[in-house]
Amino acid sequence: MSSFILSKDVLLKDSAIYIHIPFCDHKCIYCDFYSIITSDNVEAFQKSLKKEIEYFSKLYSEDRIFTSIFFGGGTPSLMEPFYLEEIICHLKKFSNVDDKAEITMETNPGTVDKLKLKRFKEAGINRISIGIQSFDKEELEFLTRIHDKQTAIQTVYNAAEVGFENISVDLIFNLPNQTKEKWIENLETAIQLPIKHISTYSLILERGTILNKLVLDKKVTMQDDDYDADLYETTIDFLTSKGFYQYEVSNFTKPGFECVHNNAYWRYRDYLSFGTSSHSFVDGKRWWNYSSLKKYISAIELNNHAIMNSEIISKEQMHDEYVMLALRSSGLDLNEYKTLFSEEWINKSYVYLKMLQKENLIELIHQILSLHQRGTQFVMKS
């Protein structure tokens, strides 16, 4: 399913690498990603991570080239720059990492100053994804973020001033009591900054989060789906009118700054993931690691990997995932689709697809089947 590129006269699979750094300064009420609020085992985790990288590199590196590395978490920017630099060097030593690979680090305002950002850049990070979520004081307090508006703004400027050209910010909409005017103020503030990419996410309830318990206890009331859809439509209209184009359901970019790593997911490319709770997808097989840091470290010590479970993707499942991911991003290339699968689904779905086209939910241009704005809203809700 991966694309291929030419390197040293050998065709290599274009693949991605994800690194999950579990350490965090505190747990935000909406977050369901695995993270721990402790500095214990920081060095032990890196040692285990290196062993895991070596193990899988021997299995999967010969026939592929890695065009992106993404440090997520947790809060990777809590680490010292040399900590991530060691990991990057280890990846390059044991894997075929492209010289021009996109290397992203998720960053929270309040965890980095200008000097630390400069050192991260020197360590090899070339793309920064800043989890701002909101510029509004009340919203930040509700989300239990550790930063304020000015810290968020200064973090973006600091990143630009030390030489980061590829800067992305994350924002969350449809917070309880959030007005359309307040959301537009967030967007207005963001586009005034030296950024190239914006990810906008609707606030959703995830099991096990503090927010979910607050809602169940009726201490917080979420806004309804219609209002959520209205804010989403407002987001699309606003950002596209300001020079950003939507290349995925939740992502907007200036031309040429699409996230290489996330495109690997949406275009159904292979990816190797390392660290606690991480998921990998290679050659039609998916596996995922233990979440517990202590269990992860002990499993690596015993087996050189920390796989908790795995599955082989069936042809039917592969087809459905491929179509879904294509439609939620840049569109389904029918020519590519026909080389990977038979035309049975297209022929069987012809009447239904024509109906969707008539209702302005999808469009077909130059053999690319893509969602209209109304169709994108449907995907968001589902």
Side-chain angles (χ1 to χ4, degrees), residues 237-253:
D237 292 341
F238 179 88
L239 290 175
T240 53
S241 73
K242 301 298 182 180
F244 290 84
Y245 82 90
Q246 186 179 24
Y247 72 107
E248 194 270 343
V249 165
S250 301
N251 288 270
F252 303 80
T253 185

Side-chain angles (χ1 to χ4, degrees), residues 118-164:
K118 181 175 183 291
R119 289 168 58 204
F120 274 125
K121 188 171 187 301
E122 292 168 348
I125 305 296
N126 55 36
R127 182 177 184 272
I128 292 284
S129 177
I130 305 174
I132 292 174
Q133 316 312 354
S134 176
F135 295 98
D136 181 82
K137 183 176 184 294
E138 291 180 356
E139 291 183 348
L140 288 169
E141 289 175 353
F142 170 77
L143 293 169
T144 64
R145 303 295 286 169
I146 65 169
H147 64 272
D148 57 19
K149 176 180 179 179
Q150 191 52 45
T151 302
I153 291 172
Q154 192 59 54
T155 300
V156 177
Y157 278 115
N158 284 344
E161 287 170 10
V162 302
F164 283 103

Side-chain angles (χ1 to χ4, degrees), residues 199-250:
S199 297
T200 62
Y201 302 105
S202 173
L203 182 66
I204 57 175
L205 293 178
E206 300 285 1
R207 288 184 61 186
T209 62
I210 300 169
L211 178 60
N212 190 54
K213 186 176 188 309
L214 290 171
V215 171
L216 290 174
D217 292 343
K218 302 189 184 306
K219 294 179 180 179
V220 171
T221 302
M222 301 292 287
Q223 310 210 69
D224 63 35
D225 288 345
D226 289 338
Y227 187 68
D228 181 71
D230 187 30
L231 288 179
Y232 181 59
E233 186 174 353
T234 297
T235 304
I236 296 172
D237 292 341
F238 179 88
L239 290 175
T240 53
S241 73
K242 301 298 182 180
F244 290 84
Y245 82 90
Q246 186 179 24
Y247 72 107
E248 194 270 343
V249 165
S250 301

Side-chain angles (χ1 to χ4, degrees), residues 350-365:
Y350 180 80
V351 174
Y352 178 64
L353 292 173
K354 291 298 288 184
M355 182 269 289
L356 294 178
Q357 188 175 31
K358 185 177 180 181
E359 293 185 5
N360 287 324
L361 292 171
I362 62 171
E363 63 182 358
L364 179 62
I365 301 176

